[in-house]
């Protein structure tokens, strides 16, 4: 079993920064990649950033240059540093783990960016 717990969301003004954390526990071996997704009201859940087991990162075009995904393997934690936030970044942000071909999800953390 895998448990993912997100934290760090909140209310921030446009142009501000937040750092999200995702703490993984349980079976954390054989991870293919971890990712952050987000879902705004009435929208589908979209990938924001990914980091593979080897450390390769990828970003959605809308956040490239503003968001940075990183990890602390010793703490089994993945981070999402979000800078220059925009109102359109408002969403629930979900942590995702792909392990052994299966996807695991956290419950999400709400990020609200005011204009």
């Amino acid at each position: 079993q895998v448990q993912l717990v997100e934290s760090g969301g909140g209310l921030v003004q446009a142009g501000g920064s937040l750092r999200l954390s995702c703490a993984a526990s349980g079976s954390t071996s054989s991870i293919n990649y971890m990712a952050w997704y987000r879902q705004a009201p009435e929208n589908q859940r979209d990938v924001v950033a990914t980091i593979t087991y080897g450390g390769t990162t990828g970003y959605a075009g809308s956040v490239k240059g503003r968001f940075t995904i990183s990890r602390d393997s010793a703490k089994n934690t993945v981070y999402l540093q979000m800078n220059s936030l925009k109102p359109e970044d408002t969403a629930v942000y979900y942590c995702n783990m792909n392990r052994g071909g299966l996807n695991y999800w956290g419950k999400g953390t709400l990020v609200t960016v005011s204009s």
Side-chain angles (χ1 to χ4, degrees), residues 32-105:
N32 294 322
Y33 63 83
M34 294 192 69
W36 286 97
Y37 284 70
R38 67 185 181 187
Q39 186 169 18
E42 302 182 357
N43 285 6
Q44 65 182 18
R45 190 175 296 187
D46 293 323
V47 63
V48 174
T50 60
I51 185 164
T52 68
Y53 174 79
T56 300
T57 58
Y59 297 93
S62 59
V63 307
K64 194 173 293 184
R66 299 188 298 123
F67 291 10
T68 303
I69 188 170
S70 63
R71 67 183 179 193
D72 184 332
S73 297
K75 296 181 179 179
N76 286 328
T77 300
V78 173
Y79 304 98
L80 185 68
Q81 178 67 44
M82 306 186 294
N83 298 328
S84 302
L85 283 161
K86 304 175 181 180
E88 51 262 45
D89 294 319
T90 295
V92 177
Y93 283 71
Y94 296 91
C95 182
N96 167 265
M97 175 191 289
N98 184 280
R99 174 182 176 271
L102 298 177
N103 277 302
Y104 300 88
W105 296 91

